[in-house]
Amino acid sequence: MTSPARPVFDSETRITIPETALTLPALRHPDHAEIERANQHYIRTHLWNLYRSEEEAQNNLRDRHAQWACLANPNGHSERVRYHAYWVSAFFLIDDALSDPNWHGSSTHAADTIVSELVSVLEGDLTAPGSGGGPYKKVAAMVLEPILEGMGPGLRARFLADMRRYIHEYRAEVALRATGKVPDFDTYMAMHTASGCDAVTTLVEYGLQIDLTGAFRAHPALHELKRIVHDNFILVNDLFSFHREHSQGDYTNALSVLVLAEGMQLQDAIDKVCHLIRETETRFIKKSGEMLTSALGADPDIRAYVEEMAYAFSASSQWSYETPRYHNGERGVTRFPSGSATLTRDRITYASAK
């Protein structure tokens, strides 16, 4: 079921963010400063000309994409976490190009062009830098090639399948936005789980230099754990990115969906999303504890993965509340914010952020 898209609020609006009381600790990769410097060089060298303006390019340097990879994979091999960081920066750019209507207007033609370039890479056309192909094809080929070279056949096949789902679901979202509709909440969560979450958690395996392809076939608990982490990724991101996406006319966000398709008031939607965020942590702690104390925990690769997924889980909150991307170009807050805040068209201001 879909509902008409429209602004969720029109002017300055006071909201309250409930206390989430999340307990899983964050950990940053020991080489995070070096990885950040390398990633900033990567953005300047390979992505700069794809941004719409110098200001926009500078903003993406400021947003510190590399810290997402460093928080999500703190025990990963340094070179692999660096490639993960390049992937994050490239796909934030692609995410903006596909999800922000200001990039492609009301027509889906520009989005179709981007999608076709990405699909050609995922079908095996890893175009060498500087050779034929559109700009997004070149960026995708450059960022994916070293990652794919470092994966065994099983992990590589899963990662490529993850990326195909990511592109397919993003294209479906662009098409849905073109209709002026938003989906119901359950449909929205299923779409967003497919649009990137699987690829992120597969990169955790890549960073740890393990391949759990056989284990995923044999143990449903691994899929259950991933789904909990994916739910958290979506909900936390949507809480922090809501004002940014809303200002762009993008209503494929959990808060907008709950208001527009489920009939909630904005404050009730915020309360529900924060409740679900707390609930995902409770579910993760329970499921991971069961896995680590069962026979699965005796497998060193599974144990390493489950323990690293706890950091991937906390990375979602840590990066989202500290990055300038979601804080009006300013340094983010130092803890998960709670209490009163003010929403305007393009920013959120916390009354008591620390």
Side-chain angles (χ1 to χ4, degrees):
M1 177 182 292
T2 60
S3 302
R6 57 175 174 79
V8 172
F9 67 95
D10 297 318
S11 59
E12 183 173 295
T13 301
R14 297 282 288 180
I15 61 170
T16 300
I17 301 176
E19 176 61 59
T20 55
L22 299 179
T23 61
L24 287 173
L27 182 66
R28 212 176 298 264
H29 195 282
D31 296 332
H32 66 90
E34 179 183 340
I35 292 169
E36 181 69 47
R37 284 192 295 272
N39 193 62
Q40 298 230 345
H41 176 75
Y42 167 77
I43 292 173
R44 288 184 182 277
T45 305
H46 300 296
L47 303 184
W48 203 258
N49 292 334
L50 288 176
Y51 296 109
R52 293 173 296 178
S53 66
E54 180 77 11
E55 179 184 10
E56 193 169 74
Q58 291 288 353
N59 288 346
N60 277 271
L61 279 181
R62 175 204 66 198
D63 290 346
R64 304 180 73 231
H65 303 147
Q67 295 310 303
W68 165 260
C70 291
L71 288 161
N73 210 175
N75 295 299
H77 183 278
S78 291
E79 182 180 57
R80 293 186 173 208
V81 176
R82 175 163 56 84
Y83 289 142
H84 184 169
Y86 296 169
W87 180 91
V88 172
S89 288
F91 282 90
F92 264 123
L93 170 66
I94 291 167
D95 176 90
D96 287 343
L98 290 174
S99 64
D100 182 351
N102 295 320
W103 281 65
H104 50 72
S106 59
S107 169
T108 60
H109 176 71
D112 288 338
T113 299
I114 295 169
V115 167
S116 66
E117 291 184 18
L118 298 176
V119 167
S120 71
V121 174
L122 297 174
E123 290 176 347
D125 185 5
L126 294 173
T127 307
S131 62
Y136 291 96
K137 181 178 181 180
K138 292 178 183 177
V139 165
M142 183 177 298
V143 77
L144 290 175
E145 187 168 20
I147 292 173
L148 294 172
E149 286 179 351
M151 292 178 166
L155 192 62
R156 179 186 175 109
R158 286 168 50 216
F159 183 66
L160 285 171
D162 296 341
M163 292 299 303
R164 292 186 189 103
R165 281 194 300 274
Y166 163 78
I167 299 304
H168 172 77
E169 291 300 335
Y170 249 118
R171 180 63 187 84
E173 286 187 24
V174 171
L176 182 61
R177 279 195 295 273
T179 70
K181 303 287 187 179
V182 295
D184 63 81
F185 185 70
D186 290 342
T187 300
Y188 167 78
M189 290 295 290
M191 289 176 69
H192 259 243
T193 295
S195 61
C197 292
D198 277 318
V200 171
T201 47
T202 302
L203 285 171
V204 170
E205 289 178 64
Y206 164 75
L208 293 174
Q209 299 179 290
I210 60 177
D211 184 343
L212 296 180
T213 300
F216 270 98
R217 283 197 296 264
H219 304 296
L222 283 167
H223 292 280
E224 294 169 23
L225 190 78
K226 274 180 59 172
R227 179 55 193 262
I228 295 168
V229 174
H230 295 171
D231 286 349
N232 177 71
F233 284 173
I234 296 165
L235 294 165
V236 168
N237 176 268
D238 283 3
L239 179 66
F240 285 101
S241 66
F242 167 68
H243 63 284
R244 172 188 171 97
E245 293 167 359
H246 187 272
S247 71
Q248 297 167 346
D250 178 5
Y251 305 120
T252 48
N253 175 290
L255 293 177
S256 293
V257 166
L258 287 169
V259 172
L260 298 175
E262 307 295 339
M264 290 188 173
Q265 296 297 312
L266 177 58
Q267 183 60 58
D268 293 335
I270 292 168
D271 293 346
K272 176 167 182 171
V273 166
C274 288
H275 168 76
L276 291 173
I277 290 169
R278 289 193 299 271
E279 188 178 71
T280 58
E281 186 182 74
T282 300
R283 289 162 54 207
F284 180 88
I285 291 170
K286 182 175 185 293
K287 175 56 67 176
S288 61
E290 290 171 352
M291 293 172 70
L292 291 175
T293 55
S294 72
L296 289 176
D299 183 309
D301 287 350
I302 292 177
R303 174 170 287 274
Y305 176 76
V306 172
E307 291 174 347
E308 196 79 343
M309 286 287 273
Y311 294 123
F313 185 103
S314 64
S316 178
S317 298
Q318 183 73 30
W319 187 83
S320 292
Y321 66 63
E322 71 179 30
T323 176
R325 179 178 176 88
Y326 300 145
H327 296 279
N328 321 313
E330 301 168 1
R331 184 182 65 84
V333 293
T334 57
R335 58 182 293 274
F336 202 112
S338 62
S340 62
T342 302
L343 278 175
T344 55
R345 185 178 181 278
D346 62 348
R347 65 178 54 222
I348 183 169
T349 303
Y350 303 106
S352 59
K354 299 179 181 179

